[in-house]
Structure formats: C-alpha cells, structure tokens
Amino acid sequence: MSGKEIRRSMPLFPIGTVMQLTELTARQIRYYEEHQLISPARTEGNRRLFSLNDIDRLLEIKDLIDQGINMAGIKQLFLVKEQQSNMMEQQTEKAKPDLTNEQLRKLLRNELMHSGRLNRSSLRQGDISRFFH
Amino acid sequence: MSGKEIRRSMPLFPIGTVMQLTELTARQIRYYEEHQLISPARTEGNRRLFSLNDIDRLLEIKDLIDQGINMAGIKQLFLVKEQQSNMMEQQTEKAKPDLTNEQLRKLLRNELMHSGRLNRSSLRQGDISRFFH
DNA sequence: AATCTTATGTTAGATTTTCTAACATGGTTT
DNA sequence: AAACCATGTTAGAAAATCTAACATAAGATT
C-alpha cells in the first residue's frame, strides 16, 4: 500500500518540534539541508515543515555522523540506498507469484541487511514512526 | 502496552498544522479549548502544541457539531465516554484469564458500540492515526 | 607550524506565526 | 425583541523561524 508512503511524507512538523525529537540544533538541521541530505517542505511563509520521513532521515544522519562519516559520505550512502530500494522494487515486481510481495520484500531486505555493513544503518528505518500508533 | 498511549499524547503539532489536518479555524480550536473540550500542551513561550489524541478529539468534536450537538453536550459525552473506558479497564482486569486481554477488550468495545448511539462516534477513534505508520 | 576545511555556535534583523482580547454577526432560543 | 451561541475579524504583542554573516575548535593538508 502506498497510502503509508503518503502519510510518512506529509509535511507536519516545524523545526522546533524536530529539534526536540531528534536532539539536533536548528543550525545542524539547516546545515544538513544546505548539503541536500534532506529537503523539508515549506509553508507559504517559508518556514520549514518536516515529515516523518524527514525525521527518520535526520536520526539516520545523526547515527552516521556519530560513526565519523561526513556530509559527502552520507549523501553518497543515501544515493546508494535509494538505488538499492529501486532494485528491490524491480525484483519484487517480476517475482514469482507464489510468494506474496510482503514475503519477498522481507527476504530481499534481510539479504541486504546481512551483506556488507553499508546497509545496516541505512535500512534500519522507522526510528521515529515508533512514536505513532 | 502503554507506550502507545504515551506516543499518542505527545505534544507535537502547532496550531497551523492542526488547522490543516482538521479543517478547523484557529478560532474554533481555541474556542473548544476555552470550553474545555481539549487541553493542548504549551511551549515555554505559550504556543499551543497538540498531540495525536488532541487531533482525534478535534475531529470527533467536528462530527458531533455536525450532528447539532453543542459545547455542553459534547463535554458531557466525553465525560461519559471516559467513565465507560474506565469501566472497561476494570472489567478487563478481573477478567477470566482464559481470554486474552486483547480479545476481551474487543468484546467489550463491540458491546458498547452496539448499545445506544451515544457511543458510536465516541468510540470510533483513530481518525488521525491513520496518517501514521 | 601555518593554513584550510568542516561542522557547528552565535548574533542580528527581518518575517511569519501564534497569542489574547475585544468587538462584530448571523442563527437559535427564550 | 433580547439574549445566547459559535464563529469571524481585527489589533497589538510576543514567540518562533528565517537568512546571512561572522566565530571557532578539531582535523586534514600543505
């Protein structure tokens, strides 16, 4: 279902809330945007509005920075991750129909998670969504 | 589990976001607060911060107003609802242990939903949480 | 060692958002 | 008609956020 994706990308949170949720400073958050690690939406009046996805991403960024990775590295990681998730989509589409999409997705995700440390953190998604029902 | 309740009562949203999500005006939202139908949290600087529960409640209020019920009526409904949910708790606690809490809760909820129209809307919760994962 | 780079802090001034309080108004109820 | 209810509108103040600029500590590069 893609309604989930829509909900998760809905711009809801002002920077103040995001600061508390992520324990990042406004400066840090804006800096990461400047380096195109996130692209929060804007209100009519130009104030940033963040989605759940944005917040997940910020928590990921925090992790990666703790691991000593710099902006360029993180950007690259996100690119690779996106490619992979596209690959997964393709694989899933032409999959044998005796496995449900759900099952297949799990298999592929699992595979990726256990192949090379690059993906560990980038696929460990859903940090913030734990806050929600 | 009560972690869910905590998450759902976490103050996250400024009034602007709530206006969009509920299609209520700021005036309406403040008016409902004035009549103690909601009690959003406040920032240090006195700006309102709403939780998912608050938003659910606002949507409920909207429904009830559409049904022609006034402030006093809605307030009363919420009181009754809360009493009932307390009663449910008690019932659930001392329940025969050959039914899981989950099952019992469903039973009771179902019972309430089908007894008197008062409860229909007040137990039809989770409107806004559909937005979240 | 001196310099450059990176990630972040800090400050200033402008703009947007939200606040309360007051008054206005069209439907209802009395 | 008078009063009440739910909401609109307005004004002025305060808070939150914005961009841009300068500051700086720790690492990397020369």
Side-chain angles (χ1 to χ4, degrees):
Chain A
M1 203 171 307
S2 170
K4 190 195 294 191
E5 225 355 90
I6 291 173
R7 284 169 239 143
R8 292 186 54 80
S9 62
M10 201 171 188
L12 295 173
F13 308 98
I15 201 169
T17 299
V18 176
M19 287 171 65
Q20 293 196 170
L21 251 24
T22 60
E23 298 179 272
L24 292 167
T25 66
R27 183 65 163 95
Q28 287 176 302
I29 295 171
R30 297 194 193 108
Y31 186 70
Y32 303 151
E33 179 184 17
E34 193 180 337
H35 286 264
Q36 303 162 54
L37 303 184
I38 49 172
S39 317
R42 298 287 181 129
T43 67
E44 273 191 19
N46 198 37
R47 269 81 241 266
R48 274 166 263 254
L49 274 192
F50 299 78
S51 67
L52 287 173
N53 276 336
D54 289 329
I55 295 177
D56 270 356
R57 202 167 239 246
L58 283 171
L59 290 172
E60 243 179 278
I61 293 171
K62 222 185 155 194
D63 264 19
L64 296 172
I65 282 179
D66 281 350
Q67 294 173 40
I69 304 172
N70 65 10
M71 298 295 107
I74 297 175
K75 195 168 174 183
Q76 196 54 38
L77 274 174
F78 285 160
L79 278 180
V80 171
K81 172 188 168 185
E82 199 191 322
Q83 286 182 330
Q84 283 183 338
S85 104
N86 287 347
M87 273 179 39
M88 267 186 24
E89 290 260 353
Q90 287 202 329
Q91 284 302 103
T92 317
E93 274 171 25
K94 65 167 189 177
K96 324 172 207 114
D98 60 333
L99 282 183
T100 68
N101 270 8
E102 194 56 42
Q103 291 170 315
L104 220 146
R105 223 173 274 272
K106 272 183 194 150
L107 280 179
L108 286 164
R109 182 167 301 153
N110 213 24
E111 200 177 302
L112 286 173
M113 302 243 318
H114 293 302
S115 72
R117 67 177 303 299
L118 262 196
N119 311 299
R120 270 228 309 287
S121 85
S122 63
L123 280 177
R124 189 226 51 212
Q125 68 161 157
D127 283 315
I128 239 309
S129 48
R130 264 180 304 133
F131 279 100
F132 298 102
H133 180 58
Chain B
M1 204 169 308
S2 170
K4 191 196 292 192
E5 224 356 89
I6 291 173
R7 283 169 241 143
R8 291 186 55 79
S9 62
M10 199 173 192
L12 295 172
F13 306 98
I15 201 170
T17 299
V18 177
M19 289 171 65
Q20 292 197 169
L21 250 25
T22 61
E23 297 179 273
L24 292 166
T25 66
R27 183 66 164 95
Q28 287 175 302
I29 296 171
R30 296 195 192 110
Y31 186 70
Y32 304 151
E33 179 184 17
E34 194 180 336
H35 287 264
Q36 303 162 55
L37 304 185
I38 49 172
S39 317
R42 298 286 182 130
T43 67
E44 271 191 21
N46 199 37
R47 269 81 240 269
R48 274 166 264 255
L49 273 192
F50 299 78
S51 68
L52 287 173
N53 276 335
D54 290 328
I55 295 176
D56 270 357
R57 202 166 240 246
L58 284 170
L59 291 173
E60 244 179 276
I61 293 171
K62 222 184 156 194
D63 264 19
L64 296 172
I65 284 180
D66 281 350
Q67 295 172 39
I69 304 172
N70 65 9
M71 297 297 106
I74 296 175
K75 196 170 174 181
Q76 195 54 39
L77 274 175
F78 285 162
L79 277 180
V80 172
K81 172 188 169 185
E82 199 192 322
Q83 286 182 330
Q84 283 183 338
S85 102
N86 287 348
M87 275 179 37
M88 268 186 23
E89 290 259 352
Q90 287 202 328
Q91 285 301 103
T92 318
E93 273 170 25
K94 64 168 187 177
K96 323 168 207 123
D98 60 332
L99 283 183
T100 68
N101 271 9
E102 193 56 42
Q103 291 171 314
L104 220 145
R105 222 173 275 272
K106 271 181 194 153
L107 279 179
L108 285 164
R109 182 167 300 152
N110 212 24
E111 202 176 303
L112 287 173
M113 301 244 319
H114 293 303
S115 71
R117 67 176 301 299
L118 265 195
N119 312 300
R120 268 228 311 286
S121 86
S122 63
L123 281 178
R124 188 227 48 210
Q125 66 161 160
D127 284 314
I128 240 307
S129 49
R130 265 180 302 132
F131 280 100
F132 298 101
H133 178 57

